[in-house]
């Protein structure tokens, strides 16, 4: 068989496999040093009320500035960090840095007591029975109340999670932090999981938001997700909102909060605080707007 495909075929395949493996190992080695070499940063993306543009919070997203290769996206290095067991160290650093920054913004008055910061956590982090204690210690240390903190996890955490993970989630929720299911709709999306775990909200994955207003199926899926989530008392945030058309469609099916390039991409802390002040200035006074649930 290999012969009929011509000479060299399998060699080319092996070579490209080899390159991929080597690339991965190189990235892993570099990633191990990234923290101590100060190459990791946290960027912040605003979360807003769709209807009014009033900002309500932000998501913290890790960034890696590689000395030779420039910015390496999280989609590339987070899976490597997870496989290599580095995610616990990186995740802990991101969380601490984000909470520290939130403490600074609060004490400066950049953000108010109604601002919340959403932080991504990996399954492995949630499998650590010490996590709730560590998080509560960090909140005290940085002067951040629990209602100003959200943790984002993927559906897989609830599906594959151990009994330790389940306990950790309940203890975190007891502290008062919000628990959001990230990329909702891409995994199992089973109603049972949402009921069995103390989640407070879902983030509708960008892949469903993209087709809104164009692909009727997506409108129907999102409509169903919103109805179900609200019936369960969960908040809904739409991810990856890029166009006014998507915003209108989301508003039409009852989504209250959104996040996406329509309002701004994730930026580093100094730029974020400037943008935040600008968004607050431009948005209508909260008193003038009927405050709704979520
Ligand atoms: P995510 O948590 O679902 O984050 C949303 C992603 O969508 C971010 O990509 C964000 O920059 C991007 N995004 C936001 N608005 C738009 C938009 O309007 N259009 C498009 N096309 N994209 C938009 P990012 O920052 O590259 O992160 C990718 C993923 O990496 C995240 O997806 C999350 O799963 C993971 N990640 C990022 N930071 C962390 C972290 O600190 N810890 C862990 N465990 N995972 C992280
Ligand atoms: Mg997220
Ligand atoms: Mg997400
Ligand atoms: Mg997503």
């Amino acid at each position: 068989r290999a012969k009929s495909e011509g000479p060299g075929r399998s060699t080319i395949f092996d070579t490209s496999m080899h390159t991929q493996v080597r690339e991965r190992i190189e990235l892993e080695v570099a990633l191990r040093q990234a923290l101590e070499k100060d190459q990791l940063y946290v960027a912040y993306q605003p979360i807003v009320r769709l209807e009014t543009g009033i900002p309500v919070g932000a998501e913290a997203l890790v960034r890696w500035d590689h000395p030779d290769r420039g910015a390496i996206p999280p989609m590339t290095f987070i899976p490597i960090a997870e496989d290599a067991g580095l995610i616990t160290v990186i995740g802990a650093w991101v969380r601490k840095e984000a909470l520290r920054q939130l403490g600074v913004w609060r004490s400066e008055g950049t953000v108010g007591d109604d601002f919340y910061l959403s932080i991504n956590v990996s399954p492995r982090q949630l499998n650590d029975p010490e996590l709730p204690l560590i998080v509560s210690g960090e909140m005290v240390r940085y002067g951040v109340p629990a209602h100003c903190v959200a943790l984002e996890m993927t559906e897989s955490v609830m599906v594959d999670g151990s009994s330790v993970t389940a306990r950790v989630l309940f203890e975190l929720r007891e502290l008062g932090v919000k628990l959001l299911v990230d990329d909702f709709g891409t995994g199992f999306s089973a109603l049972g999981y949402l009921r069995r775990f103390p989640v407070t909200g879902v983030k509708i994955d960008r892949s469903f938001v993209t087709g809104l207003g164009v692909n009727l199926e997506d409108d129907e899926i999102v409509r169903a997700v919103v109805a179900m989530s609200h019936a369960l008392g969960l908040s809904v945030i739409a991810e990856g909102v890029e166009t006014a058309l998507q915003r209108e469609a989301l508003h039409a099916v009852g989504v209250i909060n959104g996040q996406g390039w329509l309002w701004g991409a994730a930026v580093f802390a100094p730029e974020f605080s400037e943008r935040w002040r600008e968004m607050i200035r431009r948005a209508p006074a909260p008193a003038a707007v009927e405050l709704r649930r979520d």
Side-chain angles (χ1 to χ4, degrees):
R1 250 228 171 235
K3 245 183 191 160
S4 70
E5 285 169 1
R9 265 284 168 109
S10 65
T11 318
I12 289 168
F13 179 69
D14 287 349
T15 307
S16 83
M17 276 285 281
H18 183 75
T19 309
Q20 273 180 34
V21 170
R22 219 177 65 186
E23 151 104 2
R24 220 182 142 93
I25 292 170
E26 267 174 27
L27 278 183
E28 184 184 321
V29 170
L31 192 54
R32 279 186 194 280
Q33 304 167 351
L35 255 181
E36 41 198 89
K37 291 190 174 169
D38 290 329
Q39 293 165 5
L40 296 188
Y41 301 85
V42 182
Y44 302 87
Q45 183 179 36
I47 299 169
V48 308
R49 300 246 170 212
L50 289 169
E51 195 179 4
T52 56
I54 292 175
V56 294
E59 178 175 3
L61 293 156
V62 67
R63 295 290 177 261
W64 180 14
D65 189 13
H66 189 284
D68 311 320
R69 303 169 52 152
I72 298 177
M75 293 281 270
T76 304
F77 73 84
I78 291 288
I80 295 176
E82 280 173 340
D83 288 352
L86 291 167
I87 194 63
T88 44
V89 186
I90 291 173
W93 179 82
V94 171
R95 185 190 63 238
K96 209 169 144 191
E97 172 58 17
L99 291 174
R100 185 198 63 78
Q101 183 62 64
L102 175 55
V104 171
W105 282 333
R106 285 171 56 88
S107 61
E108 289 173 350
T110 301
V111 303
D113 195 46
D114 49 359
F115 174 98
Y116 74 92
L117 192 58
S118 205
I119 301 166
N120 293 284
V121 289
S122 277
R124 215 189 271 246
Q125 291 178 271
L126 290 167
N127 202 35
D128 176 4
E130 299 293 313
L131 186 70
L133 198 65
I134 296 170
V135 169
S136 79
E138 288 169 353
M139 291 191 301
V140 170
R141 173 167 176 196
Y142 297 117
V144 172
H147 73 267
C148 299
V149 177
L151 298 178
E152 298 188 10
M153 60 194 168
T154 52
E155 285 162 283
S156 65
V157 164
M158 295 182 286
V159 181
D160 311 326
S162 65
S163 59
V164 171
T165 299
R167 186 149 23 91
V168 165
L169 290 176
F170 277 96
E171 286 177 15
L172 286 167
R173 185 60 200 130
E174 241 163 63
L175 290 175
V177 306
K178 300 184 217 308
L179 297 176
L180 307 177
V181 181
D182 206 351
D183 306 330
F184 190 73
T186 58
F188 297 83
S189 316
L191 208 62
Y193 292 112
L194 293 178
R195 295 190 54 181
R196 219 176 308 147
F197 292 91
V199 298
T200 57
V202 300
K203 297 188 78 170
I204 300 179
D205 191 64
R206 179 166 66 88
S207 57
F208 300 102
V209 173
T210 307
L212 286 182
V214 182
N215 181 348
L216 283 181
E217 230 169 60
D218 286 342
D219 285 76
E220 285 312 317
I221 290 171
V222 173
R223 189 190 301 277
V225 166
V226 172
M228 180 193 77
S229 303
H230 283 170
L232 291 170
L234 303 175
S235 68
V236 178
I237 298 169
E239 290 188 323
V241 186
E242 295 182 355
T243 68
L245 183 67
Q246 290 163 355
R247 184 182 72 97
E248 296 313 318
L250 287 162
H251 179 58
V253 297
V255 177
I256 312 289
N257 292 320
Q259 177 184 350
W261 295 346
L262 184 60
W263 299 281
V267 291
F268 296 130
E271 195 181 339
F272 180 84
S273 39
E274 255 172 59
R275 284 227 218 138
W276 185 265
R277 293 200 190 91
E278 183 57 31
M279 287 178 91
I280 297 277
R281 258 199 303 278
R282 273 204 313 258
V289 184
E290 187 203 348
L291 280 179
R292 295 166 63 179
R293 50 172 303 174
D294 281 37

